[in-house]
Structure formats: C-alpha cells, structure tokens
Amino acid sequence: TNTKTEDVEATVNQINRLAAAGCDIIRCAVPTMEAAEALTEIKKQIAIPLVADIHFDHKLALAAMENGIHKLRINPGNIERQEDVRRVVDCAKAHHVPIRIGVNAGSLPRDLVESQGVTPESMVEAALRHVRILEECGFYDIALSLKASDVRTNVLAYRRMAEICDYPLHLGVTE
C-alpha cells in the first residue's frame, strides 16, 4: 500500500480495491507502533494475506505479529542486533509467521560495502548472514529478496542465491 497504515479506512479501501483488481497478497509499511496496532483492524476488513514491512525497530515486528499479520518482511541491514532478530524469530515461530529477508543494495552492511562494494556477492553475503541467524534459531520458513536498482546486479544476485540455497525467491527491483 502507499497509504499511511495508521489510517485504517484509507488502507482498507486501497487493499480492497487492489484485491478486486486481482491482488493476492498485500504489504503495508509499519513505521510506527500506531501502524502496528492498526493491523488488527485492517485484518478484520480484508480478505487477502497481509505482510508487515518492518524497518529499523524489531519491536514493530513483534507488535505486527501480535496483531495478526500473515508474513513479515525485515531487512538485515536495518535490524542489526542479533538478539533483537532472535526475539523476532521466536515470535514468528510462536505465531507461525514466515519471514521474508529483504536485502536492498542501498542498505547493505557497512563492512560488506567497504570490502566488496555493492555487488551481487555482497548482496548474497548480506542475505546469508541473516539466513544463518534464523537457521541458528531453528527457523526455516524463509523467503529471500535481493533487490538492486541496477538490473544486472539484481539478476546476478538472484542467480547466485538460487545456486546456493533452496529458499523461495521474491523477485523484484528496487527504486
């Protein structure tokens, strides 16, 4: 959606229009606790699965899952503390919520950018770091996205990831 998730009426109206046009799943940004809390009411008024897009604050991911979302999208470059990611994983397990790891070329970990630059390899390594954390927690209900604004980088990152793991890939280009 491109509404403010906190605006339940506008968000529900947009989701229902998208569903009527053939949308099968919807993602809402969850930038505030108010947005996370709005998900409960939004879910009551829609008929398609709801994905919460979380940036920076693991507490928003926890609240989104507590409020009934169907899937979670997190970015390993934005939730850096492993103990916070582990809290998210524990909650996802408890609520049976799959996690899509969203890696964006524009927000790769600093050490990877400094050592490798923004490359397909650095994008894959960023995703694998996060996958390892989830797997160490016994969590395997994972999908991966590796998005860059450069199509060649994007395609090469996805091809490399497909060679080395069997997790589903969420295809897309950013920016």
Side-chain angles (χ1 to χ4, degrees):
T1 59
N2 62 6
T3 60
K4 287 188 180 248
T5 305
E6 298 90 332
D7 185 344
V8 172
E9 183 178 353
T11 302
V12 166
N13 286 339
Q14 186 176 76
I15 292 170
N16 288 333
R17 285 192 315 273
L18 289 165
C23 181
D24 293 322
I25 188 169
I26 196 74
R27 185 177 77 198
C28 292
V30 183
T32 66
M33 194 55 72
E34 185 182 359
E37 292 165 355
L39 297 172
T40 299
E41 188 57 37
I42 290 168
K43 244 193 88 187
K44 290 178 187 175
Q45 299 181 46
I46 65 173
I48 61 175
L50 183 60
V51 179
D53 191 356
I54 306 296
H55 294 272
F56 305 108
D57 190 347
H58 76 285
K59 292 175 188 169
L60 298 175
L62 299 174
M65 287 186 282
E66 294 293 334
N67 285 303
I69 54 103
H70 297 98
K71 188 174 185 179
L72 185 66
R73 185 267 187 197
I74 58 176
N75 181 328
N78 290 339
I79 301 177
E80 294 181 11
R81 291 175 16 142
Q82 287 190 3
E83 58 269 23
D84 292 341
V85 175
R86 290 182 199 281
R87 287 184 188 100
V88 171
V89 167
D90 289 344
C91 189
K93 281 182 182 179
H95 291 282
H96 306 285
V97 172
I99 295 175
R100 175 167 69 91
I101 296 171
V103 173
N104 290 319
S107 61
L108 292 174
R110 183 181 314 254
D111 69 304
L112 289 176
V113 174
E114 289 173 358
S115 66
Q116 300 178 32
V118 177
T119 65
E121 294 77 17
S122 61
M123 292 175 65
V124 168
E125 178 56 30
L128 290 175
R129 285 179 181 181
H130 206 61
V131 166
R132 285 183 208 112
I133 293 168
L134 299 184
E135 289 178 343
E136 287 171 7
C137 295
F139 192 84
Y140 303 94
D141 195 358
I142 302 167
L144 302 171
S145 72
L146 301 102
K147 297 180 183 179
S149 55
D150 173 69
V151 174
R152 185 177 193 293
T153 300
N154 215 51
V155 169
L156 292 174
Y158 278 114
R159 284 183 179 165
R160 178 67 181 133
M161 188 57 77
E163 291 172 357
I164 60 177
C165 79
D166 289 327
Y167 289 116
L169 300 176
H170 170 104
L171 300 177
V173 178
T174 193
E175 298 173 18

